[in-house]
Amino acid sequence: MKTLKVYTYEGCDTCRKALKFLNERKIAHEVIPIREQPPTLAELKAMLERYDGNLRKLFNTSGLDYKALNIKDTLPGMSPTEALKLLASNGRLVKRPFVVGANVGMVGFDAEVWHKVL
């Protein structure tokens, strides 16, 4: 398998668990700081397809930026293009970890799901 790109935030406990999972299984991966380098628009579009067009799945709904920008109320009125541009411009809004690779796309960490996919 080609190397996975794993977008994470250093202060995120869920991200640490995901990286531990990958390291324990010796799964090659590249760690990318999500706040400094958010996923690309192309990666976000591909992930949106994996989640059947459910934009909300890509947002960090418990994040301060999500709440401060009132995304919960504005998201239903946004076009997918607008929402993806917003995510690509602000890594704090993206649900993490955000994992992309050859035939792999996942947001969040669920050990059972990751075990099946990876």
Side-chain angles (χ1 to χ4, degrees):
M1 174 184 273
K2 291 184 180 180
T3 300
L4 295 174
K5 289 172 76 174
V6 184
Y7 290 89
T8 66
Y9 171 57
E10 191 176 88
C12 170
D13 189 48
T14 303
C15 293
R16 286 191 290 272
K17 289 176 186 175
L19 293 175
K20 180 180 178 189
F21 177 96
L22 295 171
N23 290 329
E24 286 175 348
R25 287 157 183 79
K26 297 180 178 23
I27 297 171
H29 61 280
E30 171 189 6
V31 178
I32 301 168
I34 199 165
R35 288 184 172 199
E36 293 80 8
Q37 185 181 338
T40 66
L41 200 49
E43 290 169 334
L44 289 161
K45 284 180 184 177
M47 193 69 74
L48 183 59
E49 287 178 21
R50 287 196 172 276
Y51 284 89
D52 298 321
N54 186 344
L55 282 166
R56 193 169 183 280
K57 292 278 188 181
L58 305 185
F59 279 88
N60 175 13
T61 58
S62 62
L64 296 177
D65 283 19
Y66 182 87
K67 293 173 183 171
L69 295 171
N70 199 28
I71 303 291
K72 179 182 178 184
D73 294 330
T74 58
L75 185 59
M78 281 186 206
S79 72
T81 301
E82 290 171 319
L84 294 177
K85 284 182 180 178
L86 182 61
L87 288 166
S89 70
N90 184 344
R92 291 181 299 272
L93 290 173
V94 181
K95 184 169 178 123
R96 58 188 185 251
F98 186 98
V99 181
V100 292
N103 302 315
V104 176
M106 299 180 290
V107 294
F109 176 68
D110 179 326
E112 192 173 308
V113 170
W114 280 41
H115 184 72
K116 288 177 186 174
V117 172
L118 301 173

